[in-house]
């Protein structure tokens, strides 16, 4: 069995063909993702951080992380993101006190916040979710500097994979190819009938939702649900790519997430303990808070400021400006 085959079997056993999303709200663990035989560090990393990747340095700094990327000592960067990367684009996150979606659902007739993403409630009353979906319509928002930083990392050939919990599609809109993306909680790109399981392109779903109509299956009349992952539903098959990606990675970036939803949150511990992990978030979260590692670097505060600081340390500021201008100009162009 290929090197990665054994972990894949273990993952399938652990999470089955479809891992289920559970939100225990306590940053709880689904279970150890299981150690795997990692790839040895490139010489560059050892050179910067001490031989053999086991650092002689005490704490690492943001400057060290920038040096690993800039000197291309890290070629296989894996990134995990959440709703915090999209708040600068005008899309509220879920759990920020006061501004998060879960604090502003009074207008919907739902028994508790997470019900809006529960299949049983959707089948009972799809309207709260559909009116929330209307606010998430991909055409209404644009990528921001964090998305374009990740696009630049891809353009430089150093992004192994971007794991996102977001359903706003802004990673794709920034120009990151689908092959580099794992949309762990699905996307609005397509919809599936909740009765006969026929699928339809997302455009059909949006035509109804933007017209304040419940989308029904043209064949059997069942309610059409977009292919985003509701609580209790299986994650997309592509999520299993983590079984190969995380043992391979030589740097993990975690941006704008509370790490409260499993099995996504557990991925933050699926890298070898000697692999540096950089958390950029307003506050300390998940396993990095209650089970920190020696190679963790934490940059708390506003995400855009943190990303701009990292870009400056990388010496990529001018390239970023050009990229944002080129992409925004493209967007403006098509708006004309
Ligand atoms: N700068 C820095 N941090 C920010 C910013 C910002 N501008 N905006 C938000 N954050 C942080 C918040 O403080 C929070 O820690 O981002 C995190 C967002 O956490 P959540 O709102 O819980 O979003 P997320 O982690 O993506 O939620 C995961 O929960 O409800 C489900 O399926 C849904 O995919 C979602 C999952």
């Amino acid at each position: 069995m290929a090197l990665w085959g054994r972990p894949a079997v273990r993952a399938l056993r652990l999470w089955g063909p479809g891992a289920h999303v559970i939100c225990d709200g306590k940053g709880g663990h689904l279970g150890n993702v299981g150690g795997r035989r990692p790839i040895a560090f490139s010489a560059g990393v050892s050179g910067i951080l001490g031989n053999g990747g086991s650092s002689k340095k005490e704490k690492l700094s943001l400057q060290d992380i920038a040096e690993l990327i800039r000197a291309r000592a890290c070629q296989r960067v894996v990134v995990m993101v959440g709703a915090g990367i999209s708040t600068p684009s005008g899309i509220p996150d879920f759990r920020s006190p006061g501004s998060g979606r879960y604090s502003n659902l009074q207008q919907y007739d739902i028994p508790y916040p997470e019900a809006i993403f529960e299949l049983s409630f959707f089948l009972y009353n799809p309207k709260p979710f559909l009116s929330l979906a209307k606010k998430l319509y991909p055409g209404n928002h644009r990528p921001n500097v964090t998305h374009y930083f990740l696009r630049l990392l891809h353009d430089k050939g150093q992004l192994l994979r971007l794991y996102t919990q977001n359903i706003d599609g802004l990673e794709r809109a920034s120009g990151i190819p689908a092959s580099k993306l794992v949309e762990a909680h699905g996307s609005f790109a397509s919809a599936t009938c909740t009765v006969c399981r026929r699928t339809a392109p997302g455009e059909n779903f949006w035509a109804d939702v933007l017209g304040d109509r419940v989308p029904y299956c043209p064949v059997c009349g069942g309610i059409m649900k977009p292919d985003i992952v509701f609580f209790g539903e299986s994650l997309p098959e592509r999520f299993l790519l983590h079984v190969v990606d995380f043992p391979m990675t030589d740097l993990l970036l975690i941006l704008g997430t509370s790490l409260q939803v499993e099995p996504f949150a557990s991925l933050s511990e699926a890298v070898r303990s000697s692999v540096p992990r950089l958390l950029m978030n307003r506050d300390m979260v998940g396993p990095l808070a209650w089970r920190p590692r020696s190679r963790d670097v934490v940059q708390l505060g506003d995400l855009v400021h943190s990303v701009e600081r990292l870009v400056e340390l990388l010496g990529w500021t001018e390239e970023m400006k050009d990229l944002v201008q080129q992409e925004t100009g493209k967007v403006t162009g098509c708006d004309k």
Side-chain angles (χ1 to χ4, degrees), residues 82-84 87-88 93-96 102 117 165-166 185 231 256-259 261 281-283 285 301-303:
T87 53
D93 65 9
F94 293 92
R95 296 176 179 84
S96 281
Y102 288 160
F117 286 117
Q165 299 170 92
N166 298 343
H185 292 173
F231 287 121
T257 176
S258 62
L259 288 181
V261 174
N281 198 63
R282 184 172 294 129
D283 25 53
V285 291
D302 179 78
L303 188 56

